[in-house]
Amino acid sequence: MISSKYRALSAAARLDSRLIRRSLISTPSTDQGIPPPLTGIRVLDLTRVLAGPSCTMLLADMGADVIKVEEVTRGDDTRSWLPPSAAVSPNSPKESLHLPPESAYFLAVNRNKRSITVNFKDPAGLEVMQRLVRTSDVLVENFIAGKLAGMGLGWEDCKVLNPRLVYASITGYGQTGPFREAAGYDVIIEAEAGLMHITGEPDRPPSKVGVAVTDLMTGLYAHGAILAGLHSVQHTGKGVWIDCNLFETQLAGLANIASNYLIAGKEASRHGTAHPSIVPYQVFPCKGGFLMIGAGNDKQFRLLAERILEKPELADDARFANNAARVANREALVDIITQVLQRHERDYWIGRFTGLGVPFGPINNIQQTFAHPQVGARQATVEVDHPRVGKVRMVAPPVTYNGKRMPVRRPPPWLSQHTKEVMLELGYSQNEIAELRARKII
């Protein structure tokens, strides 16, 4: 058996350890933006797939030391979601040669983190986790409600180990209620919480959104709640349990659609790209592509009619004289605009729209999106060196501070890349680490 030499750190010792971590990590001066505000904060990340990892990546981007705990042999589910994947370099570390390629999905939401693998169903693995809990400021998990409690790592267990811990649970439906033990999947919540009902064309079946937007919104809510929790700990000295879930996030994401129903009992419906109360406000086809046009007021509609479509008579037609009339005669107006736009290529219309003040945008595919001049001008992508695959291009953190982005300090980790490093930090000896590896505990 491995000796249990490790003891819980006192509150003063934990504070000292955070100060030491701050001193060991270099921070850019204010003329390069702002110092990463979460430097010295340790986040224990027990999440998989998208909602949780996107949350912890945002914390990592702000300087937190995020330790991603993964299953020993497979890791995060998204590691196996390939193709596509990044090609493995022949110069990759020998200890990683047995691993599959790095999936594009995993790489998207795990930058700036460290990866360790722990089987915490085993008592020895549970002890590793307990040491991590004692030395962490935040724990984020997305297990089914009650699952971690049954393994000795629930909120009640962890707050005894670390009374200042911010413990964030991300689930499908929350910690209470009849669905508390149901698993949460973005596409199911989209269906169940109203989003799919309002997405798609009116004469077609409901459709999901093109990305897992409910997962991403939940990650954003959770990351904001964790920042609030850390602020609360500074004032009260007491930890907090955050209950964040996909279902309530999606309810909040219904925004004005929810308000229309709650205030006026108005049921929603699908409108495709069109707006129920504004015309013209939708995607229109043209030669070789599509344009989104949003003429939201009478001035913009007159500009559209006179300067762009070269049909000034439309602005004076009683059927289209104001927005209410245009809504009432939607079909006729949409048909007229469509006929005019289909006479020319997309680029021709982009030229005519540009600079006149009528909201518009081409429907770009992903290649066109990343070729957009704004992407280059804003340096909205970043290239990082990954030890297994070489150069990896990814979307940069989307917020700037004093004109500068938070740095990408670490590439997304390969599975178990930092296990030995973290175990040594926790006080394990080389022999103890080797024994745990042999027993497949880590």
Side-chain angles (χ1 to χ4, degrees), residues 92-247:
S92 61
K94 63 180 182 180
E95 59 267 38
S96 71
L97 293 177
H98 66 288
L99 296 172
E102 300 292 326
S103 81
Y105 199 121
F106 179 86
L107 293 172
V109 289
N110 287 288
R111 65 174 175 251
N112 283 330
K113 303 178 185 180
R114 297 196 283 173
S115 168
I116 70 170
T117 52
V118 183
N119 174 14
F120 49 86
K121 294 179 182 178
D122 186 282
L126 180 60
E127 182 183 343
V128 174
M129 296 303 297
Q130 289 170 341
R131 294 192 188 191
L132 283 166
V133 169
R134 290 188 182 103
T135 59
S136 295
D137 303 283
V138 179
L139 183 153
V140 190
E141 59 93 6
N142 65 348
F143 287 75
I144 292 173
K147 182 74 171 179
L148 280 183
M151 303 170 73
L153 289 171
W155 161 242
E156 295 295 335
D157 306 296
C158 290
K159 74 175 183 179
V160 172
L161 297 170
N162 184 350
R164 295 174 60 90
L165 185 69
V166 175
Y167 188 109
S169 295
I170 300 174
T171 58
Y173 299 88
Q175 298 295 317
T176 59
F179 281 66
R180 65 180 295 271
E181 294 183 355
Y185 298 93
D186 174 277
V187 70
I188 304 301
I189 303 297
E190 281 191 44
E192 205 165 7
L195 181 59
M196 218 178 268
H197 173 70
I198 59 175
T199 305
E201 297 296 329
D203 58 345
R204 302 285 294 168
S207 177
K208 74 179 184 70
V209 180
V211 296
V213 64
T214 307
D215 272 347
L216 292 169
M217 288 194 299
T218 304
L220 285 165
Y221 270 111
H223 128 271
I226 288 166
L227 296 180
L230 288 169
H231 188 67
S232 174
V233 171
Q234 291 296 314
H235 287 275
T236 67
K238 296 179 180 179
V240 59
W241 186 15
I242 293 167
D243 177 0
C244 191
N245 64 85
L246 275 66
F247 187 77

Side-chain angles (χ1 to χ4, degrees), residues 183-390:
Y185 298 93
D186 174 277
V187 70
I188 304 301
I189 303 297
E190 281 191 44
E192 205 165 7
L195 181 59
M196 218 178 268
H197 173 70
I198 59 175
T199 305
E201 297 296 329
D203 58 345
R204 302 285 294 168
S207 177
K208 74 179 184 70
V209 180
V211 296
V213 64
T214 307
D215 272 347
L216 292 169
M217 288 194 299
T218 304
L220 285 165
Y221 270 111
H223 128 271
I226 288 166
L227 296 180
L230 288 169
H231 188 67
S232 174
V233 171
Q234 291 296 314
H235 287 275
T236 67
K238 296 179 180 179
V240 59
W241 186 15
I242 293 167
D243 177 0
C244 191
N245 64 85
L246 275 66
F247 187 77
E248 290 175 77
T249 292
Q250 186 51 66
L251 291 184
L254 292 175
N256 59 297
I257 300 298
S259 188
N260 291 347
Y261 176 77
L262 295 173
I263 301 301
K266 179 177 172 57
E267 182 55 81
S269 56
R270 290 186 294 285
H271 297 275
T273 62
H275 195 289
S277 306
I278 306 173
V279 176
Y281 201 97
Q282 66 181 77
V283 169
F284 289 90
C286 56
K287 280 188 178 179
F290 297 88
L291 292 172
M292 177 69 203
I293 299 172
N297 57 48
D298 295 341
K299 178 182 178 181
Q300 291 174 346
F301 179 70
R302 182 169 290 276
L303 285 169
L304 174 67
E306 295 178 351
R307 300 283 300 278
I308 300 170
L309 301 179
E310 296 184 326
K311 291 186 72 68
E313 67 275 13
L314 292 178
D316 297 318
D317 189 320
R319 296 175 300 165
F320 314 131
N322 56 52
N323 184 65
R326 292 191 291 274
V327 171
N329 295 281
R330 177 193 301 267
E331 188 174 342
L333 180 57
V334 167
D335 184 60
I336 292 169
I337 295 173
T338 299
Q339 289 183 39
V340 175
L341 291 176
Q342 287 185 323
R343 295 173 187 167
H344 297 286
E345 298 286 337
R346 187 182 81 157
D347 288 350
Y348 169 86
W349 291 115
I350 290 174
R352 292 197 65 85
F353 271 93
T354 299
L356 291 181
V358 177
F360 83 101
I363 305 300
N364 288 331
N365 62 25
I366 305 305
Q367 181 181 23
Q368 292 166 331
T369 295
F370 283 102
H372 195 291
Q374 194 70 2
V375 172
R378 295 281 298 176
Q379 298 181 329
T381 63
V382 63
E383 193 171 68
V384 298
D385 288 311
H386 190 286
R388 293 195 72 215
V389 300

